[in-house]
Structures are given as C-alpha cells and as structure tokens.
C-alpha cells in the first residue's frame, strides 16, 4: 500500500457525484458573487440559500467602509502573531467590545472560528483533565480535544441523561471536566437542551463551554446567542463563536466568565503560532458587532423568513431535521440519491443550497441544507418554496411516502 492509496474512497465518491450530477454539488464553483443573496454559478444567476450569512452583513455598507478604511490606514495584513508584531489596537478594542457586550471579564480573538475551538479546548484542558463532548460536535471541537491531550469522552447527541451518567461515573474528576456542546447544530438545525445541560454540569461541579457559532446574532435580546436567550449567561463558563457567520467576516473568539481566561494567551498554541487577523477583517467584524447589538430589525427579518420556510417545507411533505424553526432548515433523506436529486432540482431552478452526505452527517443521513438570511427578500423565499413544491410534485416515490 503506497502513501496515496488511502484516497481510494474519496476518488470513488468524487466519481460517483460527478456521474450523478451535472454540476459539482460539493465545493460548487461560484463564478461570481453579487450580494449576500445572489451569485453566478455555471453562468446563471442563483439565489444563495446555502451560506451562513444569517444577517446578510457581508455587503453591509458600514462594514465594507470600515474594512476599506482599515486597509488604507493599516495595510492588508499584520504579518505577525498577537504575541509578536500583530497585536494592534483594533484587535484589543474588538476583544473589549465582546467582553463588554457579555458583561464578562475576558475575551480572546482567534484568526478563525476553527482555531478558536482548537485554541480554547487545548488550553483549558490538558493531560489528566477530561473533555465530555456531544458526539455530533463540529470537527473543530473534536480536533481541539485531540490537541489538548485530555481524556475525551463523547456523550450521545443532545441527551442530558447520557451526560448525567457519564459525569456520575467520573465522580470527583468531574471538577477537572469541561463539558462541550454547541447551542444550535448546523447540520440538522436542532438546538441543545441547554437548561438541562447547565443543571447537570453544575450539579456535578464540572465546567461548561458552549459553541455559539450558528446562534450568535440570531438568538437573544441583544443577539448574543442561545445562552442569552435562555438567561443562562451566569451559568455558562466559556462561550466560543465565529466571525464568519452572522458577523459576515473571518475570525473567531472565546469569552470567559472567569478572568483566568486571559492567561490562556500564554499557552494556547493556535493563538500563539499563527498570524493575527487582518486589520480589515477586524474592522468589518467590529462594525458588524455594532449592527448585531442594535440589530432587532435584522433578526426580525431572519426569523420571518425562517418561520415561513419551515411552515411551507413541512406542508409540502419534506422531513425536517428539527421542527423548531431556525436559521437552518435541513431536508433529511435516508439515502444519498434523493438528496442529490433535490439539490440538482433546486440548482436547476436557480437556488443554491448545501448537499451534505455521510460521513460529514450524523446517523448516516443525507440532507439538503437550506440556510436563511435577513437579506433574503419575500420574493426569494417565494422562489425557494416554489422550487421545493415543483420537486415534491415530480418526486417518485412521493416525499411523504
Ligand atoms: N464551530 C462550529 C459549530 C461551526 O459550525 C464552525 C464552522 N462551520 C466552526 C466552529 C468554525 O468556524 P470558522 O468557519 O469560522 O472557522
């Protein structure tokens, strides 16, 4: 067996997807992007319904102006780590703004959301500690666990009883255990039972980190996420998030209710050994944060779109990953072929969505992930529903069978 033979599975998968679809459904090439909701793919204009641009801020006039001004005054990149030459006033100001928004003492920003999980988990937990993570967590959480050298234990997805039993078994070691969950899971669009998870974690004396990547900007009176919405900000120890979804930029953060988080900068390798975010990314994100904090209307538009789409999708007979409306609507199939057929129908109708297939999905499911955005118009949503309706009518066997 040679070094490259291990790619046989991927070669087979790529060939089968190419055979069954005119256009690449994975890593679909975007010829051009025109706005938060419009792009050209394969020479045709499409509606974007497969991004994480929940508030549509990528084209926000103030965010763009802030990014351009930062490039003009500070250049295109920092060329250094925060520990060396890349620790600009803008980085520190954004950290301060995040900490202030949460009323917490410490915030650290990272160059991506992926690195925020790697950096937080590997610094908070080390050999002799325990990480107790939801089995369906994002790859960055699982990779952060590996980098930490702590003992990692998975508990069943969104199953508080299973978490309870595992903490019980850890006994006194629960005090050296960090429980890690997401608040909104982006594959099926389901939410964690955070109240139960908080209660169980506290009862056992363990610590809790919540990844709010897909819920920051979406939930809560100030848009701070699901913990804020549920009134749990005094009960959670750490929150990780990203700048690449609602905030429309690139970068990530970890916030802590404990001032010691600040010391993490001295040990977190994914923080230390990489260049700090570009000044333009920081300036755009800081402006986007201001919009989120005063963003009731943006959130209201997102929720109007989400509630309408969820109601219509269920009426058409599609199976949804969850019944509670949210910014992600996952149309779920047991097999890969009907998911691919739906994805193809939608792109042919001028709607771009995400096709997700095993092993990137939970429970071997295949799904078409539709994401909502505050920037989508009433007409965009009408067109998405019409395309779903047309596909459901021509499906054999019928979807609801
Ligand atoms: N956490 C979760 C739950 C995510 O879904 C993602 C990205 N999909 C990340 C972290 C990583 O964020 P980024 O893409 O900004 O690196």
């Amino acid at each position: 067996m040679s070094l490259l033979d291990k790619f046989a599975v991927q070669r087979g998968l790529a060939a089968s997807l190419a055979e069954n679809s005119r256009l690449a459904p994975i890593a679909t090439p975007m010829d051009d992007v025109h706005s938060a909701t419009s792009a050209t793919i394969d020479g045709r204009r499409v509606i974007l319904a497969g991004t994480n641009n929940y508030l549509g801020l990528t084209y926000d006039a103030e965010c763009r102006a802030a990014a351009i001004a930062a490039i003009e005054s500070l250049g295109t990149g920092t060329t250094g780590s925060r520990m060396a030459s890349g620790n600009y006033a803008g980085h520190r100001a954004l950290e301060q703004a995040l900490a202030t928004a949460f009323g917490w003492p410490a915030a650290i920003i990272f160059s991506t959301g992926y690195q925020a999980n790697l950096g937080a988990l590997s610094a908070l937990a080390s050999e002799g500690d325990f990480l107790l993570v939801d089995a369906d967590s994002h790859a960055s959480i699982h990779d952060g666990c590996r980098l930490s050298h702590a003992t990692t234990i998975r508990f069943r997805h969104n199953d508080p009883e299973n978490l309870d039993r595992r903490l019980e078994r850890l006994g006194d070691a629960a005090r050296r255990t960090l429980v890690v969950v997401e608040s909104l899971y982006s594959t099926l669009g389901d939410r964690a039972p955070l109240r139960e998870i908080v209660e169980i974690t506290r009862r056992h004396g363990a610590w809790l980190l919540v990844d709010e990547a897909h819920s920051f900007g979406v939930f809560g009176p100030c848009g701070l996420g699901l913990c804020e919405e549920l009134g749990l900000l005094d009960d959670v120890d750490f929150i990780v998030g990203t700048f690449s979804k609602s905030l429309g930029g690139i970068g990530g953060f970890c916030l802590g209710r404990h001032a010691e988080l600040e010391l993490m900068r001295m040990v977190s390798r994914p923080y230390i050994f990489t260049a700090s975010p570009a000044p333009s990314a920081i300036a755009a994100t800081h402006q986007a944060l201001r919009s989120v904090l005063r963003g009731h209307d943006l959130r209201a538009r997102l929720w109007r779109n989400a509630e309408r789409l969820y109601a219509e999708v269920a009426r058409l007979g599609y199976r949804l990953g969850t019944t509670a409306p949210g910014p992600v609507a996952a149309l779920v199939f047991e097999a890969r072929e009907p998911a691919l057929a739906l994805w193809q129908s939608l792109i042919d109708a001028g709607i771009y969505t995400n096709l997700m297939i095993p092993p990137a999905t939970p429970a071997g499911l295949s799904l078409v992930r539709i994401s909502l955005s505050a920037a989508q118009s009433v007409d965009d949503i009408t067109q998405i529903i019409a395309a779903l309706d047309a596909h459901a009518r021509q499906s054999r066997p019928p979807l609801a069978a």
Side-chain angles (χ1 to χ4, degrees), residues 132 153-156 159-171 174 200-201 203-204:
L132 201 37
I153 304 168
R154 296 182 182 200
F155 67 92
R156 239 185 277 138
D159 186 339
E161 272 175 36
N162 194 243
L163 170 65
D164 197 6
R165 274 201 302 280
R166 293 192 188 281
L167 277 169
E168 186 77 51
R169 233 175 279 155
L170 282 169
I200 290 162
T201 305
R203 176 154 45 79
H204 289 280

Side-chain angles (χ1 to χ4, degrees), residues 366-391:
S366 290
L367 49 99
V368 171
R369 174 188 185 274
I370 300 177
S371 61
L372 283 312
S373 171
Q376 287 156 344
S377 65
V378 171
D379 189 50
D380 290 337
I381 304 294
T382 302
Q383 286 189 52
I384 296 169
I385 293 165
L388 289 168
D389 189 11
H391 181 80

Side-chain angles (χ1 to χ4, degrees), residues 46-62:
V46 298
I47 296 170
L48 292 173
T51 68
N52 300 302
N53 206 350
Y54 302 128
L55 299 180
L57 287 175
T58 50
Y59 281 78
D60 178 81
E62 288 177 305

